[in-house]
Amino acid sequence: SQTIHQWPATLVQPVGSPLSLECTVEGTSNPNLYWYRQAAGRGLQLLFYSVGIGQISSEVPQNLSASRPQDRQFILSSKKLLLSDSGFYLCAWSGSGNQPQHFGDGTRLSIL
Amino acid sequence: DAKTTQPNSMESNEEEPVHLPCNHSTISGTDYIHWYRQLPSQGPEYVIHGLTSNVNNRMASLAIAEDRKSSTLILHRATLRDAAVYYCIRIYYGGSQGNLIFGKGTKLSVKP
């Protein structure tokens, strides 16, 4: 069966520090991969999606970036975090565009 | 723009059926309807999806109006564990990206 792993579960970072969140999927090949962010009390916002290795599409301009170095690995990064980057970050995968998405447990990021 | 409209909140009693409505009056013929739910501090969980016909699975039933401008998620017997925010989402059938646009959803409360 397919599983998705995200880590860490919680993270506290100072303003201006770098960020790296990792997501891996097991049990499937060539998945679509997604990064979402959920600010406190708000809905989910799609940040990035990828349909293949090295193929990244950005939905929202910001100081975050994403990379997909391997088929089932998706990384969210920042060189310098802002206070507004606080939130709940979720990784998801799907088999194709119209198939259900399956989410990880998320990373709760707090910026101090 | 989520392009779907849902009530902000609903209440139900335990072991009673729950009907969660969703309006998607501008839906196109190639849009699927997906439902997800999110428990506090967790990632969204896929519930069900459909295109034109009513759909059933172990979690719920999805009733889609004949004109496809609305749909209803049916939980046949609500349990306390069903208390969550439920999201109704349109997704383009032909797209490879599968970008889910989450609105504010319906917060379902279940009373014992």
Side-chain angles (χ1 to χ4, degrees):
Chain A
S1 63
Q2 302 90 354
T3 56
I4 181 168
H5 303 280
Q6 252 189 277
W7 65 92
T10 59
L11 188 60
V12 180
Q13 293 283 98
V15 170
S17 63
L19 173 72
S20 180
L21 301 180
E22 187 166 345
C23 171
T24 59
V25 180
E26 296 178 357
T28 187
S29 297
N30 196 31
N32 285 1
L33 296 172
Y34 309 85
W35 278 111
Y36 290 86
R37 177 173 61 199
Q38 187 172 35
R42 307 185 72 173
L44 275 75
Q45 179 186 39
L46 179 66
L47 301 176
F48 301 94
Y49 66 88
S50 171
V51 298
I53 295 175
Q55 300 178 61
I56 308 295
S57 296
S58 173
E59 289 295 298
V60 181
Q62 59 221 321
N63 69 321
L64 299 172
S65 63
S67 62
R68 184 171 177 173
Q70 301 180 41
D71 181 44
R72 289 168 290 176
Q73 183 184 31
F74 206 23
I75 298 172
L76 183 69
S77 303
S78 174
K79 293 182 179 178
K80 292 181 69 174
L81 286 167
L82 307 173
L83 282 174
S84 58
D85 291 323
S86 293
F88 190 39
Y89 287 82
L90 290 152
C91 181
W93 74 271
S94 72
S96 66
N98 58 43
Q99 293 300 305
Q101 292 186 18
H102 305 279
F103 288 79
D105 292 331
T107 294
R108 193 161 300 280
L109 175 64
S110 300
I111 310 298
L112 302 180
Chain B
D1 180 10
K3 300 180 181 178
T4 62
T5 304
Q6 300 177 252
N8 290 332
S9 62
M10 292 184 64
E11 280 191 353
S12 173
N13 294 316
E14 196 175 12
E15 298 191 4
E16 288 186 356
V18 181
H19 291 234
L20 297 165
C22 180
N23 285 321
H24 27 81
S25 58
T26 61
I27 195 169
S28 72
T30 51
D31 287 350
Y32 275 78
I33 298 298
H34 285 228
W35 282 82
Y36 290 78
R37 70 181 185 182
Q38 187 175 22
L39 278 66
S41 299
Q42 295 187 25
E45 176 188 28
Y46 164 76
V47 177
I48 200 166
H49 77 286
L51 183 62
T52 56
S53 303
N54 295 343
V55 184
N56 300 293
N57 67 19
R58 63 175 180 82
M59 291 182 68
S61 295
L62 176 59
I64 301 175
E66 194 169 338
D67 63 7
R68 300 208 332 119
K69 293 184 177 182
S70 65
S71 61
T72 302
L73 178 70
I74 303 167
L75 307 179
H76 296 286
R77 288 184 64 197
T79 69
L80 296 178
R81 291 187 301 173
D82 291 323
V85 178
Y86 286 78
Y87 297 98
C88 166
I89 301 168
R90 290 167 47 178
I91 182 168
Y92 171 53
Y93 169 70
S96 62
Q97 302 90 347
N99 301 347
L100 299 179
I101 302 176
F102 284 79
K104 295 184 178 180
T106 297
K107 184 175 183 179
L108 175 66
S109 302
V110 180
K111 297 182 290 184

